[in-house]
Amino acid sequence: MTDIQSLETELLGAIAAAGTLADLEDIRVKALGKSGSVTALLKTLGSLSPEERQVKGPRFNGLREQVTAALTDRKAALETAALDARLASERVDVTLNPPLAPRGSIHPISQVMDELTEIFADLGFSVAEGPEIETDWHNFTALNIPPEHPARAMHDTFYFPPDDKGERHVLRTHTSPVQVRTMLESKPPLRIIAPGRVYRCDSDATHTPMFHQVEGLVIGRDITMAHLKWTLETFVKAFFEVDHVTMRLRPSYFPFTEPSAEVDVQCSWSGGELKVGEGSDWLEILGCGMVNPHVLEACNLDPDEWQGFAFGCGVDRLAMLKYGMTDLRAFFDADLRWLRHYGFSFLDVPTLSGGVGA
Ligand code: PHE
């Protein structure tokens, strides 16, 4: 009897102390397996006298049942604990911040184009686009620059080899062909700006073979140079975020406008910092004029019925002036340090109410 009692204490103690399912299985095999200790006891029953069997039988079977029940309970407890541990270790905290803050930035040219779009949208202009690979006709001829016109030489054009019909495509040298496309595609009155890339075979500290322009075009029945001047003044004030600006329209020449002017704005460079609207310097910012009747005719508009103005402006130069960048080439170097310094947050969306300077 003491044997059974100590075996029972030993087995139940081991079961309670088992730390893993594998330990528990070990104990089960050692107790209830083929050559287990409890199985061995049960096997002795056959060789006992009927009296002894009556006493010991229930004891041995009772022990087996107790051990079996203890094993089952312990197994369930271990399984629950294992599941809890797994759930705890595999939990995902969805409230954590993303591991890296966003690294990209908006390029100053994109930012300035967004600013221009915002300013002109407020004046009722929509945005037009045209191809960067342009026909000779759209880039030159329709703009009153016939073949052999000296103005073609001024443009340092990238020409493509002539096609089957002997026609040469070009990388557009300015955004003015978008004027032509707009007049051909839409009925006046028209009010558009066309920002985009342009190309000229030229490269030094102030010229890159690819740069950006924004074109403006207004066509109506009674558009005058006064409208042009007011529009440009309003644009310059909004862009440089000043209340007052003095402008100078210098007579100039463009084949596609007549009369033509170059526009300077009054500024100061004192302390090396540009201030628009004060001082005694002048800053040239764009070319403009009244759309030449030859251009209207090329676009199937009757010059006696329709007039308008156009202007064209370097976006890179505007960005440099506004944000104090000195070397144009840095715009295209893709230097991460430069981009981090001069780039804008994608949250700095220019709005007139928030300030287009962002
Ligand atoms: N296309 C001209 C240039 O590239 C600019 C311009 C546009 C001038 C429209 C007048 C009118 O220099």
Side-chain angles (χ1 to χ4, degrees):
M1 273 299 143
T2 26
D3 268 0
I4 294 187
Q5 215 135 45
S6 63
L7 181 60
E8 180 188 308
T9 319
E10 184 200 325
L11 285 175
L12 294 181
I15 290 169
T20 66
L21 288 169
D23 289 351
L24 203 61
E25 178 61 9
D26 230 32
I27 298 165
R28 189 191 68 77
V29 171
K30 281 189 183 138
L32 303 175
K34 254 193 207 154
S35 38
S37 48
V38 178
T39 313
L41 276 179
L42 288 164
K43 275 187 193 158
T44 61
L45 285 177
S47 56
L48 293 180
S49 66
E51 297 76 30
E52 269 184 318
R53 201 179 303 146
Q54 263 196 351
V55 180
K56 290 192 174 172
R59 275 307 298 270
F60 291 175
N61 278 314
L63 174 62
R64 194 191 59 198
E65 275 158 29
Q66 244 187 317
V67 169
T68 307
L71 282 169
T72 310
D73 286 354
R74 185 70 193 142
K75 192 171 173 219
L78 285 176
E79 277 170 354
T80 310
L83 182 63
D84 286 349
R86 215 177 117 195
L87 287 175
S89 74
E90 290 179 5
R91 192 178 62 182
V92 175
D93 184 352
V94 293
T95 63
L96 275 183
N97 289 327
L100 283 175
R103 288 278 187 88
S105 61
I106 305 288
H107 196 283
I109 293 183
S110 303
Q111 183 77 12
V112 165
M113 288 206 182
D114 289 347
E115 293 176 18
L116 296 170
T117 306
E118 176 69 16
I119 292 169
F120 281 101
D122 192 56
L123 299 177
F125 285 63
S126 52
V127 174
E129 286 184 311
E132 289 169 31
I133 296 177
E134 212 17 305
T135 66
D136 189 291
W137 187 82
H138 286 90
N139 195 81
F140 293 123
T141 312
L143 288 164
N144 197 32
I145 315 175
E148 317 313 330
H149 190 288
R152 290 201 179 200
M154 279 163 39
H155 277 211
D156 303 310
T157 312
F158 286 110
Y159 284 99
F160 284 81
D163 63 17
D164 299 344
K165 286 178 240 145
E167 279 164 21
R168 285 182 307 183
H169 279 75
V170 301
L171 284 178
R172 68 178 180 191
T173 57
H174 50 178
T175 41
S176 301
V178 185
Q179 287 186 37
V180 175
R181 290 184 175 275
T182 306
M183 285 188 266
L184 286 172
E185 282 159 22
S186 325
K187 283 202 172 359
L190 298 170
R191 242 185 286 179
I192 59 113
I193 57 163
R197 295 188 190 97
V198 299
Y199 303 82
R200 290 186 200 176
C201 187
D202 201 355
S203 185
D204 59 35
T206 50
H207 298 89
T208 48
M210 187 278 286
F211 58 105
H212 301 81
Q213 285 189 337
V214 60
E215 192 82 6
L217 174 72
V218 170
I219 300 285
R221 288 186 197 278
D222 42 25
I223 302 295
T224 71
M225 245 170 133
H227 296 119
L228 168 62
K229 185 160 184 270
W230 180 88
T231 305
L232 294 177
E233 248 169 33
T234 306
F235 152 58
V236 170
K237 281 194 283 189
F239 183 75
F240 289 104
E241 296 175 70
V242 291
D243 294 330
H244 171 79
V245 63
T246 307
M247 291 192 345
R248 192 164 74 172
L249 271 73
R250 263 183 300 111
S252 183
Y253 173 74
F254 299 103
F256 31 92
T257 46
E258 182 59 36
S260 304
E262 271 169 304
V263 173
D264 302 335
V265 291
Q266 181 198 18
C267 71
S268 107
W269 283 107
S270 77
E273 199 196 330
L274 170 72
K275 291 210 183 75
V276 168
E278 57 186 72
S280 53
D281 284 326
W282 294 97
L283 186 69
E284 185 191 319
I285 58 158
L286 53 80
C288 62
M290 301 306 291
V291 179
N292 191 306
H294 288 138
V295 177
L296 295 169
E297 277 162 3
C299 300
N300 307 323
L301 293 179
D302 178 357
D304 291 329
E305 194 181 351
W306 301 104
Q307 307 90 50
F309 64 78
F311 60 88
C313 178
V315 173
D316 314 73
R317 189 169 145 77
L318 282 183
M320 289 171 80
L321 291 169
K322 181 161 176 182
Y323 294 113
M325 293 162 278
T326 47
D327 191 343
L328 176 66
R329 288 171 295 193
F331 278 9
F332 310 106
D333 283 346
D335 180 332
L336 275 181
R337 289 163 306 174
W338 189 92
L339 289 169
R340 283 198 190 116
H341 182 77
Y342 286 108
F344 290 80
S345 157
F346 58 89
L347 295 172
D348 282 343
V349 179
T351 58
L352 282 180
S353 55
V356 285

